[in-house]
Amino acid sequence: MVAALEMYLDTDATRRIRVLWDALESEGVQSLRSLLGHRHRPHVSLAVAPRLDPDAVAEALTGTAVAAPLRLSFQYAGQFVGRVLWLGPTPTSELLAHQAMVHERLTWADVPVSEHYHPGRWVPHCTLSMRVPNTLMAAAVRRCLEVLPVEATVVGAAVVDHARDIARPLT
């Protein structure tokens, strides 16, 4: 399992992505909705690591608006190796600068972050499914395209580690 620093989306965008999760489930694709006892919320992760100490993260980000009211415009669907399906927001200069600033603050505080979440390598995304069966990928992508675009505003943030039952809100 992994821990993450997640940014949460406004009510309308959250509802639309949850409806997409349900549509994927109806196609036979396990979505984040059904993982870990329904604890996932639609989100964009700024940092991921095998473990994150919520106190260390909070201290490193003191004075930083982690949940800055960024506007996100989800315009496309993507796939990572391993059949991970996601929606991608347009990588605006504001979004990339925000993630780079968060990463810099975590680095200064010696909080380790997965290399895939380093600036220049980070791909902003909202995960929909961790393992789409190959035979269902076309149908899953079609479902994604039916809901795009999704406009969102960041309204919250938290350090989460579902395996350790940690969810610490950040401002």
Side-chain angles (χ1 to χ4, degrees):
M1 281 305 205
V2 298
L5 173 54
E6 300 176 346
M7 293 190 305
Y8 300 119
L9 312 176
D10 65 82
T11 303
D12 186 56
T14 294
R15 181 192 56 77
R16 291 187 65 199
I17 292 171
R18 287 183 189 270
V19 167
L20 178 54
W21 286 352
D22 291 342
L24 291 169
E25 296 271 347
S26 75
E27 295 281 349
V29 175
Q30 185 182 41
S31 73
L32 259 60
R33 178 192 69 140
S34 60
L35 291 179
L36 298 167
H38 303 274
R39 289 185 281 177
H40 282 287
R41 293 172 61 177
H43 65 275
V44 173
S45 294
L46 293 171
V48 166
R51 288 178 78 106
L52 288 172
D53 176 343
D55 294 330
V57 171
E59 185 176 325
L61 298 172
T62 298
T64 302
V66 180
L70 296 168
R71 294 283 307 143
L72 303 178
S73 182
F74 293 89
Q75 295 287 333
Y76 54 95
Q79 177 187 4
F80 291 132
V81 174
R83 304 183 319 267
V84 175
L85 181 66
W86 45 270
L87 294 182
T90 301
T92 63
S93 57
E94 294 83 9
L95 176 59
L96 297 175
H98 183 68
Q99 192 271 343
M101 180 269 306
V102 166
H103 182 269
E104 182 176 301
R105 298 285 300 266
L106 294 174
T107 299
W108 286 345
D110 291 322
V111 175
V113 174
S114 166
E115 66 183 60
H116 296 295
Y117 284 79
H118 290 197
R121 296 201 61 198
W122 178 61
V123 176
H125 65 281
C126 176
T127 302
L128 302 171
S129 176
M130 297 301 289
R131 279 192 192 83
V132 179
N134 287 329
T135 58
L136 298 177
M137 186 58 78
V141 170
R142 185 177 60 251
R143 286 290 189 171
C144 293
L145 297 177
E146 290 170 358
V147 303
L148 291 175
V150 174
E151 302 298 325
T153 302
V154 173
V155 296
V159 178
V160 297
D161 184 338
H162 296 298
R164 295 175 31 208
D165 203 27
I166 293 171
R168 178 175 176 167
L170 301 171
T171 56

